[in-house]
Amino acid sequence: MEKIRIHAISLGCPKNLVDTEWMLGGFGASFVNAATPEEAEVVLINTCGFIEPAVSESLQVILDTAQALAGRHPKPLLVVTGCLVSRYGQDLSRELPEVDLFLEIARHGELGSRVRELLGRELTYVRSRLLTSAPGYAYLKIAEGCDNRCRFCTIPSIRGPLSSRPEQEILDDARHCLAQGRSELVLIAQDVTAYGRERGEKNALPCLLEGLASMPGLQWLRLMYLYPAGLDKALLGFLSGLGQPFVPYFDIPLQHAHPDILSSMGRPFRRDPRAVVEQVREFFPGAALRTTFIVGYPGETEAHFAALEAFVRETRFTHLGVFPYYAEEGSEAAMLPDQIPDEVKEERRDRIMALQAGISAEILQQFEGQELDVLVDRPHEEWPGLFEGRTWFQAPEVDGITYVSGEGAAPGRMVRAVIEETKTYDLVALA
C-alpha cells in the first residue's frame, strides 16, 4: 500500500496530544512522519481553544502553516481539528479559506475517510494509537468532557459532558503503551476523580487503578487533574494503600483560596482549600503538591488577593502555575461586573510567581546530595552526554526538569542518580 506523509502539530494540553496520537495511529502502516509541513501530503493541526492566548496561538499557527504551504504543487492538504474548531465551528471556514478540512472533535473518527476522499487515495484507517511523547512515559486519557460548571470555563461547551472510557479499553491502551517500552503512565481527564461518576459507579477509579498498578513494567503511575471535591478520605485512603507504582504527586487545580472568589467561580467545592491540602498531607506527609491559580477574577479585591498570597506562602506547593483571568466568550464570568484591568492581573500573577520561585528553590535545595530515580526523557539539545529527565515529583511538560548525565543515562531509561546541584525549578544529577 502506498504510504502517506503526514506532518502533525499538536497544540495545548496532554489531552489534545492523546487525540493527535489516536488520529495518527489510525493511518496504521500507511503513515510516514514528515519532518516539516513542506515535505507532507497532509498537515494536521490539532488546536487549543480554551483561553484567549491559546486561541491566538492556534490561529497564528494555522496562518503561518498556510503561508508556508502556499505556492506548492501539489499543495499539501491542510486539516484543522481540536478545541478551536469545536468552539467556533463555521466561523472558521469563512475566516480561513486556506484550510481544506475542518474536523470537530466528535468527528475524529471520520479523518481517514475524509482524507481518502480529498486526496483520491486508497487508505486503510484503523483504531490504533501512535505514541509521540518522550520514550519513558505515555499519557492515558480516562475520560472526555466535564460535568463541573465553573463560571470561567468553556470546556463543557467544547468537549461536552463527562464521558468515561470503558475500563477494559483503558487497560488495553495501558498495555499497548507499556509494550512500547513506556515505564510511566500519566492519567489525565478534565477531572480524573470523576471517572465513572456519570455511570453511577462509586468505585470506578479505585478499580481502574488496581488494574493498572498490577501491570508488569509499570514503574510510575501518576494522576493529574484531581479536582478538590473528589479528593475525599475514601480515595486518599485507597491511594495510601495502593503502594508502588503510584507516586504521591497530587495535581489539584484549586484556582483560588478565598471563599468569596471560589463561590463566584462556581467551583465544585465550598471548603477552605487549606482543608483539602491538610487532608492530602494527613495521608501523604511527603506528597508533592501542584496547583494552579487564576488571578484578577472579576471582583477580586486586594484583600482577596492578599488571602491567596498568604495561602501560597503558608502551603508551600512543590509546583504552582498562575494565570491571569481571561473573560472568555460564552462563559458566565465574562458577564460579571467589576472586571479587573489587565495590568493589575499581570502584576498579581508576577507577585505570586516571584513568591513561588523562592519556595521552589528552598524545597529543591533539600534534595541536594540525595540519590533519586530519574526517568530520562530526551538528550539535551546543545550538550552531548547531557540528558533531560524527571524525578517522581516532576510531571512531564509542566514542572521543572532534572539534567542528568553519567553511566546508563539514555532516553526512556530509569537511572539512579545523585542530585549534585539545585536551581530555582530544576535539578542537576549524576548517574
Side-chain angles (χ1 to χ4, degrees), residues 275-289:
V276 179
V277 172
E278 288 168 3
Q279 189 162 275
V280 172
R281 285 178 168 163
E282 177 186 340
F283 285 89
F284 296 91
L289 298 183

Side-chain angles (χ1 to χ4, degrees), residues 183-205:
S183 56
E184 177 184 8
L185 295 177
V186 184
L187 267 63
I188 56 173
Q190 297 300 331
D191 177 1
V192 162
T193 65
Y195 176 73
R197 187 181 297 161
E198 86 283 12
R199 300 191 296 240
E201 300 172 5
K202 293 185 178 180
N203 294 310
L205 183 59

